[in-house]
């Protein structure tokens, strides 16, 4: 048995440990044994601790775990699909497309429509998710169409950023004509948070992410073949059309559903796949996909923990924290870009 399965096992154990810490640490400190007792179905010594764990911290920790896994696997697939180490849902405008979908629903319906949508409950949440997913998938399709005509990865990145700017411009127009209450709500949403998902919304978030992650796992061999280039992948018998549809669908759902519920979370999708490649020293997606899922969950939960500022009632914008974690990783990637050529077959 090689060292890599042990590393993956260690990641799983670390995921469980960080998950327990996120549930235990906050403005109110709860002993770990009390947390474990409540998670196993028991009651904590204090009724307030039980309520805090079950109603606030458990859904937040689950959201961070799922969102981190979704963004990381989405980023991994995009980096391989475009054979570009700097690709990611945020950089290529995919998150901006999802933001546009949310903005179209939240801002264009106005105050009356928002109250009506909130009254729909499960249906309203589902509408928001579908809008974000369609926005993300639409933007990725535009990038993909352009990618067929552009060979330079740098050019593609710039074009992806332009797609992001265009969708941001549309959002700005919607903001200009929206009522002040919806503008403030939208701005708060753009800060990003893992703490806004309720138990009623959790089935949509968890169900969508787990289905898309399952689809991503099935594409591991296709992603390995795409590392060698489309021509070589086709010579290996890969159905490129089906592989593209599966990868775009999985990426659109993963980025879209996280953006709908948590806001546009930056840097996790681009930074975590590089951390996994460095840790496991491999480009085999049969290992990188699960590793990115667990590592993404760990990074997102740590970001949520830092944003909460333990022992204080202050809550920092989540996007600011992920930028502090992810930006140094991206800078290292750029400085070591020559060494990335082997991983991307360039």
């Amino acid at each position: 048995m090689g060292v890599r399965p042990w590393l993956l096992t260690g990641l799983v154990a670390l995921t469980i440990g960080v998950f327990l810490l996120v549930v235990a640490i906050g403005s109110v400190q709860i002993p770990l044994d009390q947390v474990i007792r409540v998670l196993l179905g028991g009651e904590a010594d204090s009724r307030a601790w039980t309520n805090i764990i079950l109603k606030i911290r458990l859904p937040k920790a689950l959201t961070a775990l799922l969102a981190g896994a979704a963004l990381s696997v989405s980023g991994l697939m995009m980096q391989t699909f475009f054979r570009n180490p700097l690709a990611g849902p945020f950089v290529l405008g995919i998150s901006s497309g999802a933001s546009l979908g949310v903005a179209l629903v939240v801002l264009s319906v106005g105050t009356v429509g928002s109250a009506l949508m909130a009254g729909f409950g499960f249906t309203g949440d589902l509408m928001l998710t579908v809008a974000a997913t369609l926005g993300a998938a639409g933007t990725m399709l535009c990038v993909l169409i352009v990618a067929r005509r552009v060979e330079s990865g740098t050019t593609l990145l710039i074009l992806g950023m332009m797609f992001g700017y265009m969708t941001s411009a549309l959002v700005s127009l919607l903001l200009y004509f929206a009522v002040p209450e919806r503008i403030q709500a939208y701005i708060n949403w753009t800060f990003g948070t893992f703490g806004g998902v309720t138990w009623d919304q959790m089935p949509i978030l968890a169900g969508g992410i787990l289905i898309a992650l399952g689809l991503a796992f099935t594409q591991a061999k296709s992603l390995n073949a795409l590392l060698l280039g489309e021509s070589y992948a086709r010579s290996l018998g890969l159905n490129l059309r089906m592989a593209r549809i599966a990868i775009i669908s999985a990426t659109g759902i993963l980025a879209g559903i996280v953006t709908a519920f948590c806001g546009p979370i930056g840097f996790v999708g681009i930074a975590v796949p590089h951390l996994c490649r460095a840790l496991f020293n491999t480009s085999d997606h049969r290992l990188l996909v699960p590793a990115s899922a667990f590592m993404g969950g760990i990074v997102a939960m740590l970001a949520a923990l830092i944003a909460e500022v333990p022992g204080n009632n202050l809550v920092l914008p989540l996007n600011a924290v992920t930028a502090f974690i992810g930006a140094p990783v991206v800078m290292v990637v750029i400085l070591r870009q020559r060494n990335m050529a082997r991983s991307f077959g360039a």
Side-chain angles (χ1 to χ4, degrees):
M1 190 174 181
V3 69
R4 288 168 180 163
W6 287 111
L7 283 174
L8 191 59
T9 305
L11 269 186
V12 175
L14 188 59
T15 303
I16 296 171
V18 174
F19 184 88
L20 292 175
L21 280 180
V22 171
V23 178
I25 298 176
S27 56
V28 176
Q29 309 293 336
I30 302 175
L32 269 179
D33 62 314
Q34 300 290 310
V35 171
I36 294 171
R37 186 190 299 175
V38 173
L39 293 181
L40 293 177
E43 283 280 342
D45 292 344
S46 167
R47 180 71 182 172
W49 288 353
T50 304
N51 287 333
I52 290 172
I53 291 171
L54 294 181
K55 294 181 179 177
I56 300 174
R57 294 189 185 171
L58 185 56
K60 184 184 69 178
L62 281 173
T63 302
L65 176 61
L66 290 167
L71 292 173
S72 302
V73 172
S74 172
L76 174 69
M77 286 193 295
M78 292 184 64
Q79 287 170 8
T80 301
F81 188 69
F82 290 104
R83 301 180 68 197
N84 192 313
L86 296 179
F90 208 86
V91 176
L92 283 176
I94 309 303
S95 295
S96 298
S99 300
L100 176 61
V102 173
L104 282 171
V105 172
V106 173
L107 298 178
S108 63
V109 296
T111 306
V112 176
S114 297
L116 185 64
M117 201 175 74
F120 285 159
F122 181 86
T123 307
D125 295 333
L126 195 60
M127 286 170 57
L128 208 61
T129 304
V130 171
T133 302
L134 288 178
T139 307
M140 180 140 185
L141 274 176
C142 292
V143 174
L144 182 62
I145 291 170
V146 173
R148 295 172 64 87
R149 300 173 178 272
V150 175
E151 293 184 359
S152 167
T154 303
T155 305
L156 185 61
L157 272 182
I158 294 172
L159 290 173
M161 290 171 65
M162 294 303 108
F163 279 120
Y165 284 130
M166 284 192 290
T167 53
S168 298
L170 287 173
V171 172
S172 297
L173 283 175
L174 289 171
L175 284 170
Y176 183 79
F177 290 107
V179 295
E181 294 82 7
R182 303 314 306 162
I183 294 174
Q184 186 60 48
Y186 180 79
I187 290 174
N188 290 339
W189 172 79
T190 61
F191 288 154
T193 178
F194 295 132
V197 178
T198 65
W199 283 117
D200 289 337
Q201 297 169 328
M202 189 62 75
I204 300 176
L205 177 76
I209 287 177
L210 291 177
I211 289 171
L213 284 178
L215 182 59
F217 283 125
T218 65
Q219 295 304 306
K221 287 185 178 178
S222 300
L223 291 166
N224 283 344
L226 286 170
L227 272 179
L228 305 172
E230 290 191 354
S231 300
Y232 197 86
R234 191 182 290 110
S235 71
L236 292 176
L238 178 67
N239 186 331
L240 281 178
R241 178 183 170 83
M242 293 304 296
R244 279 198 191 105
I245 292 173
I247 292 170
I248 290 172
S249 300
T251 304
I253 294 172
L254 290 172
I257 200 167
V258 172
T259 306
F261 284 103
C262 308
I265 310 295
F267 287 102
V268 175
I270 187 173
V272 170
H274 294 299
L275 290 176
C276 291
R277 290 190 190 95
L279 179 64
F280 288 88
N281 192 28
T282 181
S283 55
D284 186 350
H285 289 77
R286 292 172 298 180
L287 186 60
L288 285 178
V289 171
S292 295
F294 285 112
M295 181 72 86
I298 292 169
V299 170
M301 288 191 291
L302 287 175
L305 194 61
I306 295 170
E308 288 288 332
V309 191
N312 198 308
N313 289 325
L314 182 67
V315 179
L316 300 175
L318 183 61
N319 263 325
V321 177
T322 56
F324 276 121
I325 296 174
V329 176
V330 175
M331 286 190 281
V332 170
V333 169
I334 292 172
L335 292 173
R336 298 181 58 195
Q337 195 157 6
R338 289 183 180 177
N339 298 330
M340 299 300 297
R342 187 163 56 103
S343 296
F344 289 89

